């Protein structure tokens, strides 16, 4: 069930009872023919006994204008009587000891707004019928002015709830029925579905499963229109008290006498509550408006729950019984349980909803299964992120504020293994979860076009994560989602502090520069299992999430000390370093200028925050290898102006487009009618335009793959020149390749602190290394060296020099 469905707050009570003087013998009164005048101006006319009202009489309060007429005992209202307030409100019924007590009817100035039922010490207490001016009606049990116990609340628009109330909200077992015919029978907590329940659509389909704070959470079973939940299963659930009695939510309203008798049996255990102080009996509004706000419908009244709850499951036309799993309202998996009514030949296999096609090539990392050293940590991480995203998503979108940053914006939550009122039960150990600046990271995910459902499915779905071997010296643990969209990295406490201090400036930077190449951050969290060790980690975008195989990847810093991988076996998952780079990459001139300019802007941002030791992560996909051996100078054949630009019509009509052998092919950007040319996950910003003065946005056309939209650092076509081994007495050999580039700036959380200064001095003096070759240098020099090295990796074309 999506959204909150809350019953209204407690209904209106009568105004405060007027202050009643209590005489002290006849000396306090002036006796004049059965009429008494008090020193404060109040008037009484009626029977007296011993100088005080006794029997029947009429009392008028001079200050407020209230009038009471009825029974008296020992100077206090007692028995049957009637009180009128200047506002027009009227109470007529039983009194005891000066209080409204017993059976009585209160009308709030209008016949359509009234309460008829039992009272205790001026408060509704017992069984009663409350009618609101807006047409809402509640009939049931009250405790000290609040709807409490069994009852029926009917909204003016025809929606109704029958079940248990607590503190004026739906709590316990009950049935909510919409005027459209949809219904939910199950457990409620503080006005929202929480626990096991059955949602039934007017057309006949239903969903039987669990809810958490108003959202589907966990596994459940979907029954289509032509299928029904087995009656034996429902009877068993009701006998065990898991579901409420079916009679709660079906049939016509009972007659008043029947309802009173039924409610009396259910509420016979209500005792008389103590009165700590005289209550304020001010008018309270109907709860009718509250339900609309709770479920996300803000237009007048509660006429909106069905819009929120029925849209998802009725969207499909499945005629099969399905086992579904949800994470905080997001469908993450779906498996066919009954194949007797197949929808299609493909339904013979279990169907899992996946957000992205996974490539067939061998993927890096080791899948985490039960028994793996990181298994419990993965479960904690997935459950925590699922809870975090589910908690922050319903909040209305808004711009971030200063209060959304800093330590006060963080929150933590306990996750006991057996669950709690706020958290579900789980298979991991007990753990504590801390979420840093959730509103900021939610806005960042939206800024980078991350779909909430895809985010939760990728990280917290039914698939396990993969653990990568750490490519660096930090000792961090890296996890990768099964669809390769997201990378999760453990951080040191110092790195978390750097990110939190830098976060406001980072947010403004990525907002201002939509083509920025710096790491995309989507969440910052901390988990502390019962073992006691804290793990801090950040969720990032994976640069190499593409359908193309990444044949080579480089981590480039611009330094030379220790920047090689000569002693390890190299494959396409190996991250190579600066001294291993024997390629030069030639881009279309305007693209090269834009790339180097953005790298310079990003480097300046990091330098201003004293960040160093960051890297340019570069990966490329080989395409149409030509294997030409030429001289040391670059010939025209490898220049990007050889990229062919075809119109969309040409690309569709000419088979030769896919067989073109003289370089990569660009086509004018398609119309995107089918949404097939999305750039990819967490990619935003403007697309690159065609070379040679053409102002059209273009796509990259690859045989066997299709068209890939081109952006700065993503799907960028280039020509790579690889320097080969030089034979003695001959010219240097070069190999040329068509490549597709993926580029980003990573590891941006290392400040030039005292530790790095000591490292620089130690290596310079003890080992007599060239200070300029050491990675740990002050940020200004690091930036200059970094930009110079990147410039050499992307040289200008010879024809443009």
């Amino acid at each position: 069930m999506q959204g909150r469905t809350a019953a209204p707050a407690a209904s209106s009570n009568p105004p405060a009872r007027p202050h009643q003087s209590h005489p002290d013998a006849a000396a306090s009164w002036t006796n004049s023919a059965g009429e008494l005048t008090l020193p404060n101006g109040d008037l009484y006319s009626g029977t007296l006994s011993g100088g005080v009202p006794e029997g029947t009489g009429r009392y008028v309060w001079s200050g407020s204008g209230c009038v009471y007429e009825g029974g008296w005992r020992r100077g206090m209202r007692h028995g049957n009587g009637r009180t009128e307030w200047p506002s027009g409100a009227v109470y007529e019924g039983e009194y005891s000891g000066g209080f409204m007590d017993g059976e009585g009817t209160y009308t709030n100035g209008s016949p359509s707004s009234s309460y008829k039922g039992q009272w205790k010490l001026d408060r509704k207490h017992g069984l009663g019928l409350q009618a609101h001016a807006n047409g809402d009606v509640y009939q049931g049990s009250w405790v000290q002015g609040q709807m409490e116990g069994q009852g029926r609340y009917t909204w003016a628009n025809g929606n109704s709830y029958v079940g248990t109330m607590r503190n004026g909200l739906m709590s316990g077992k009950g049935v909510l029925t919409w005027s459209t015919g949809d219904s939910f029978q199950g457990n409620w907590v503080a006005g929202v579905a929480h626990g096991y329940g059955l949602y039934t659509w007017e057309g006949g389909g239903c969903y039987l499963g669990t809810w958490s704070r108003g959202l589907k959470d966990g596994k459940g079973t979907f029954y289509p229109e032509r299928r029904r939940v087995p009656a034996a299963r429902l009877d068993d659930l009701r006998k065990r008290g898991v579901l409420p009695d079916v009679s709660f939510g079906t049939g016509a309203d009972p007659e008043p006498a029947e309802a009173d008798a039924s409610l009396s049996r259910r509420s016979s255990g209500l005792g008389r509550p103590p009165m700590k102080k005289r209550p304020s009996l001010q008018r309270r509004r109907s709860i009718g408006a509250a339900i609309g706000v709770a479920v996300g419908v803000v237009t007048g009244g509660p006429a909106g729950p069905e819009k929120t709850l029925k849209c998802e499951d009725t969207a499909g036309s499945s005629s099969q019984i399905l086992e579904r799993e949800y994470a905080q309202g997001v469908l993450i998996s779906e498996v066919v349980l009954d194949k007797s009514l197949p929808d299609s030949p493909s339904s013979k296999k279990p169907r899992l909803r996946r957000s992205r096609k996974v490539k067939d090539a061998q993927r890096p990392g080791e899948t985490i299964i039960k028994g793996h050293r990181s298994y419990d940590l993965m479960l904690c991480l997935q459950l925590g992120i699922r809870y975090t995203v589910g908690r922050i998503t319903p909040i209305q979108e808004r711009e971030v504020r200063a209060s959304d940053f800093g330590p006060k914006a963080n929150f933590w939550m306990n996750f006991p293994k057996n669950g709690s009122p706020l958290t579900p039960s789980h298979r991991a150990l007990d753990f504590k979860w801390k979420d840093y600046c959730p509103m900021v990271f939610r806005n960042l995910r939206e800024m980078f076009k991350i779909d909430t459902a895809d985010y939760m499915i990728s990280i917290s779905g039914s698939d396990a994560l993969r653990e990568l071997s750490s490519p660096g010296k930090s000792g961090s643990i890296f996890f990768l989602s099964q669809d390769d969209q997201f990378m999760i990295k453990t951080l040191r406490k110092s790195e978390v502090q750097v990110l939190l201090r830098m976060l406001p400036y980072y947010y403004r930077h990525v907002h201002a520069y939509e083509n920025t190449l710096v790491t995309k951050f989507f969440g910052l969290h901390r988990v502390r299992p019962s073992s006691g060790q804290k793990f801090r980690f950040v969720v990032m975008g994976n640069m190499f999430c593409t359908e193309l195989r990444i044949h080579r990847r480089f981590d480039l810093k611009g330094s030379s000390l220790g920047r090689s991988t000569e002693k390890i076996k190299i494959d396409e998952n190996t991250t190579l370093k600066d001294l291993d780079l024997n390629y030069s990459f030639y881009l279309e001139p305007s693209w090269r200028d834009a790339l180097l300019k953005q790298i310079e802007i990003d480097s300046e941002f990091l330098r201003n925050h004293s960040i160093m030791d960051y890297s340019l992560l570069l990966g490329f996909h080989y395409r149409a290898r030509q294997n030409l051996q030429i001289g040391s100078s670059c010939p025209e054949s490898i220049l990007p102006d050889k990229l062919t630009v075809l119109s969309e019509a040409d690309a569709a009509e000419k088979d030769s487009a896919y067989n073109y052998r003289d370089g990569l092919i660009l086509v004018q950007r398609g119309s995107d009618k089918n949404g097939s040319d999305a750039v990819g996950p967490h990619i935003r910003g403007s697309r690159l335009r065609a070379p040679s003065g053409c102002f059209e946005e273009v796509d990259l056309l690859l045989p066997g793959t299709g068209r890939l939209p081109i952006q700065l650092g993503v799907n960028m076509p280039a020509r790579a020149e690889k320097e080969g081994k030089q034979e003695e007495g001959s010219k240097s050999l070069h190999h040329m390749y068509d490549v597709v580039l993926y580029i980003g700036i990573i590891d941006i959380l290392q400040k030039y602190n005292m530790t790095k200064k000591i490292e620089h001095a130690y290596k310079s003096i003890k080992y007599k290394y060239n200070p300029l070759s050491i990675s740990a240098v002050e940020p200004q020099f690091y930036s200059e060296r970094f930009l110079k090295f990147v410039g050499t990796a992307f040289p200008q074309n010879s024809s443009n020099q």
Side-chain angles (χ1 to χ4, degrees):
M1 182 185 297
Q2 304 285 344
R4 291 173 59 89
T5 307
S11 58
S12 59
N13 280 310
R17 69 187 185 97
H19 177 72
Q20 177 179 318
S21 301
H22 190 75
D24 183 12
S28 302
W29 302 78
T30 302
N31 193 336
S32 175
E35 294 185 358
L36 301 177
T37 302
L38 273 67
N40 63 3
D42 293 353
L43 298 177
Y44 171 79
S45 60
T47 60
L48 300 170
S49 176
V52 297
E54 184 78 24
T56 59
R58 185 173 187 270
Y59 193 98
V60 179
W61 283 264
S62 61
S64 63
C66 296
V67 178
Y68 168 79
E69 188 170 358
W72 291 83
R73 183 179 181 183
R74 297 178 182 176
M76 293 183 289
R77 293 172 292 176
H78 191 86
N80 290 319
R82 175 187 174 93
T83 299
E84 297 182 8
W85 283 266
S87 63
V90 176
Y91 171 79
E92 186 170 2
E94 296 178 342
Y95 285 83
S96 178
F99 294 92
M100 295 180 286
D101 201 305
E103 294 286 340
T105 300
Y106 171 78
T107 304
N108 192 17
S110 171
S112 61
S113 178
S114 64
Y115 170 81
K116 181 179 180 181
Q118 298 174 341
W119 295 78
K120 198 73 169 179
L121 298 175
D122 283 350
R123 285 190 173 188
K124 302 164 192 172
H125 190 90
L127 302 179
L129 175 66
Q130 171 78 58
H132 295 278
N134 64 358
D136 293 358
V137 176
Y138 172 74
Q139 181 179 8
S141 177
W142 297 77
V143 175
Q144 291 198 40
Q146 294 269 26
M147 295 179 286
E148 187 92 12
Q150 297 294 329
R152 174 189 292 271
Y153 194 102
T154 304
W155 286 267
N157 63 358
N159 300 337
S160 66
Y161 170 79
V162 181
T164 306
M165 308 287 286
R166 186 171 296 120
N167 295 325
L169 297 172
M170 298 178 285
S171 291
K173 293 180 177 62
V175 179
L176 181 63
T177 304
W178 283 264
S179 58
T180 60
D182 292 3
S183 67
F184 174 80
Q185 53 179 298
N187 293 274
W188 302 80
V189 171
V192 296
H194 188 81
Y196 210 72
L198 173 67
Y199 191 99
T200 304
W201 285 271
E202 184 272 338
C206 62
Y207 177 80
L208 182 65
T210 56
W211 274 256
S212 176
R213 295 288 170 179
L215 299 173
K216 296 188 187 75
D217 196 56
K219 291 185 177 181
T221 306
F222 171 76
Y223 294 85
E225 181 178 350
R226 289 179 286 171
R227 314 298 295 274
R228 294 177 178 271
V229 182
R233 184 180 182 188
L234 290 179
D235 291 342
D236 178 64
L237 292 173
R238 294 189 177 108
K239 288 179 182 178
R240 291 191 287 117
V242 177
L243 292 179
D245 189 342
V246 69
S247 62
F248 280 3
T250 58
D253 291 345
E255 294 295 327
E258 297 175 359
D260 290 348
S262 174
L263 291 168
S264 296
R265 290 192 296 270
R266 292 190 176 104
S267 60
S268 58
L270 299 175
R272 175 176 177 175
M275 286 294 294
K276 297 182 180 179
K277 62 179 181 179
R278 180 175 297 173
S280 174
L281 301 180
Q282 298 176 354
R283 177 181 178 185
R284 299 180 183 179
R285 69 182 179 93
S286 159
I287 57 171
I291 186 172
V293 176
V295 298
V297 181
V298 295
T299 55
E306 69 278 4
K307 299 176 184 177
T308 308
L309 298 174
K310 69 186 289 185
C311 60
E312 178 185 341
D313 293 276
T314 56
S317 58
S318 174
S319 59
Q320 299 170 316
I321 298 176
L322 307 172
E323 180 185 81
R324 288 178 168 174
E325 184 175 3
Y326 289 84
Q328 292 291 311
V330 177
L331 179 63
I332 60 176
S333 69
E334 186 177 86
V335 178
V336 177
L337 295 181
D338 190 340
K339 306 181 182 64
S340 59
L341 293 173
D343 285 337
S344 65
S346 61
S347 64
K348 295 181 179 180
K349 298 181 180 180
R351 297 182 298 162
L352 296 180
R353 177 181 173 182
R354 299 295 299 274
S355 62
R356 186 176 177 86
K357 183 178 76 173
V358 180
K359 14 177 215 183
D360 295 328
Q362 181 181 1
R363 296 177 295 172
E366 175 186 3
T367 301
I368 301 174
I369 61 175
K370 192 170 184 179
H372 192 281
R373 61 184 178 277
S374 299
Y375 181 72
D376 285 331
L377 178 60
M378 179 193 71
L379 293 181
C380 297
L381 185 154
Q382 290 180 316
L383 181 60
I385 291 179
R386 178 188 306 174
Y387 175 84
T388 294
V389 177
R391 178 181 182 274
I392 197 69
T393 298
I395 299 177
Q396 186 175 3
E397 294 183 17
R398 61 171 175 81
E399 290 295 325
V400 295
R401 307 164 183 160
S403 58
D404 294 325
F405 299 92
K408 292 186 178 180
N410 309 333
F411 79 91
W412 64 271
M413 178 66 64
N414 278 320
F415 282 81
K417 185 173 184 178
N418 296 326
S420 71
L422 296 177
T423 60
S425 58
H426 55 87
R427 296 174 293 168
L429 302 174
D430 295 355
F431 68 94
K432 289 185 178 181
W433 175 266
K434 186 173 184 179
D435 194 22
Y436 297 90
C437 306
M439 182 58 72
V440 177
F441 286 105
R442 188 187 85 159
N443 281 25
L444 283 172
R445 291 193 295 270
E446 292 172 354
M447 190 185 303
F448 290 119
K449 306 184 185 302
I450 296 296
D451 180 76
T452 300
D454 285 345
Y455 187 71
M456 295 182 69
I457 293 169
S458 296
I459 299 176
S460 303
S462 57
D463 288 333
L465 303 178
R466 305 199 310 274
E467 182 175 333
L468 306 178
S469 58
S470 176
K473 301 177 182 178
S474 63
S476 297
I477 302 174
F478 289 82
F479 299 109
L480 193 62
S481 61
Q482 283 291 346
D483 60 5
D484 292 343
Q485 285 199 53
F486 303 103
M487 180 91 65
I488 302 170
K489 177 186 178 183
T490 59
L491 300 179
R492 300 186 300 271
K493 183 177 181 179
S494 60
E495 292 176 313
V496 172
Q497 293 171 344
V498 170
L499 179 54
L500 291 176
R501 283 194 293 266
M502 190 174 64
L503 191 56
Y505 309 97
Y506 172 86
Y507 186 90
R508 289 197 289 268
H509 180 79
V510 298
H511 185 269
Y513 299 98
E514 59 182 7
N515 290 315
T516 181
L517 299 176
V518 296
T519 304
K520 279 73 173 177
F521 294 125
F522 305 134
L524 182 62
H525 316 282
R526 190 189 77 184
V527 61
R528 182 176 182 177
S530 56
S531 60
Q533 183 180 0
K534 297 177 182 178
F535 293 91
R536 303 169 182 86
F537 54 91
V538 64
V539 183
M540 309 175 291
N542 177 22
M543 272 181 45
F544 297 144
C545 181
T546 173
E547 295 181 5
L548 302 181
R549 290 180 66 178
I550 303 298
H551 295 104
R552 286 291 182 267
R553 57 193 76 199
F554 291 87
D555 180 294
L556 307 174
K557 296 180 182 292
S559 59
S560 58
L561 181 61
R563 301 296 297 166
S564 66
T565 53
E566 295 178 353
K567 297 182 180 180
I568 64 174
K569 183 179 178 180
I570 297 175
D571 59 26
E572 63 184 46
N573 292 322
T574 303
T575 301
L576 304 172
K577 299 181 181 181
D578 302 65
L579 298 180
D580 304 313
L581 183 65
N582 55 350
Y583 292 88
S584 295
F585 301 97
Y586 293 88
L587 293 166
E588 194 278 327
S590 63
W591 297 356
R592 174 186 182 273
D593 295 341
L595 177 66
L596 296 183
K597 179 62 177 177
Q598 187 59 56
I599 293 176
E600 182 179 357
I601 292 173
D602 292 336
S603 181
E604 181 182 6
F605 164 74
L606 298 174
R607 181 180 70 242
N608 292 339
H609 291 277
S610 301
I611 303 297
M612 42 77 65
D613 214 22
Y614 47 89
S615 305
L616 185 79
L617 185 61
L618 183 149
F620 60 84
H621 168 81
Y622 285 122
R623 203 70 185 183
R625 178 177 297 188
Q626 298 182 33
N627 290 324
L628 300 180
Q629 297 186 4
I630 60 172
S632 58
S633 62
C634 301
E636 291 293 323
S637 61
I638 72 165
L639 297 180
D641 56 15
K642 293 295 289 184
L643 291 174
T644 304
V645 181
L646 300 178
S647 67
E648 189 173 6
D650 291 337
E653 295 175 2
K654 295 183 179 180
D655 294 336
S656 60
Y658 285 93
N659 298 319
Y660 193 80
R661 298 180 178 275
D662 192 16
L664 299 167
I665 305 172
L666 304 181
V667 295
Q668 295 176 6
R669 180 185 176 184
S671 59
D672 196 19
K673 294 179 180 179
N674 300 321
S676 60
D677 64 342
V679 174
H682 61 79
I683 303 301
R684 66 188 184 105
S686 59
R687 299 192 182 201
L688 295 181
R689 299 184 180 275
S692 303
C694 179
F695 294 99
E696 293 291 336
E697 293 180 345
V698 291
D699 296 339
L700 176 63
L701 191 62
L702 295 179
T705 302
R707 34 193 316 158
L708 300 175
I710 305 172
Q711 276 191 302
L712 207 63
V714 182
N715 299 328
M716 292 187 70
R719 300 289 174 83
E721 177 189 6
K722 180 180 180 181
E723 183 178 351
K725 295 181 179 180
Q726 182 175 358
E727 298 179 6
E728 185 177 354
S730 64
K731 295 182 179 180
S732 58
L733 300 179
H734 297 265
H735 298 273
M736 275 72 65
Y737 307 93
D738 290 332
V739 295
V740 182
L741 298 178
Y742 298 86
I743 304 167
I745 298 176
I746 62 170
D747 297 338
I748 64 172
L749 299 179
Q750 179 59 61
K751 294 198 73 169
Y752 189 59
N753 51 25
M754 184 56 66
T755 301
K756 288 296 179 181
K757 293 177 182 179
I758 294 174
E759 177 186 342
H760 176 84
Y762 181 79
K763 291 182 177 179
S764 300
I765 298 173
K766 184 175 180 64
Y767 296 104
K768 298 181 180 179
Y769 291 140
N770 181 357
L772 302 181
S773 68
I774 299 173
S775 179
V777 294
E778 60 90 18
Q780 176 67 36
F781 179 77
Y782 190 95
S783 175
E784 294 173 356
R785 185 180 64 186
F786 176 77
L787 294 174
K788 182 179 179 180
F789 183 83
V790 171
T792 60
F794 294 92
Q796 288 185 337
N797 298 326
S798 59
S799 60
N800 299 309
Q801 292 178 347

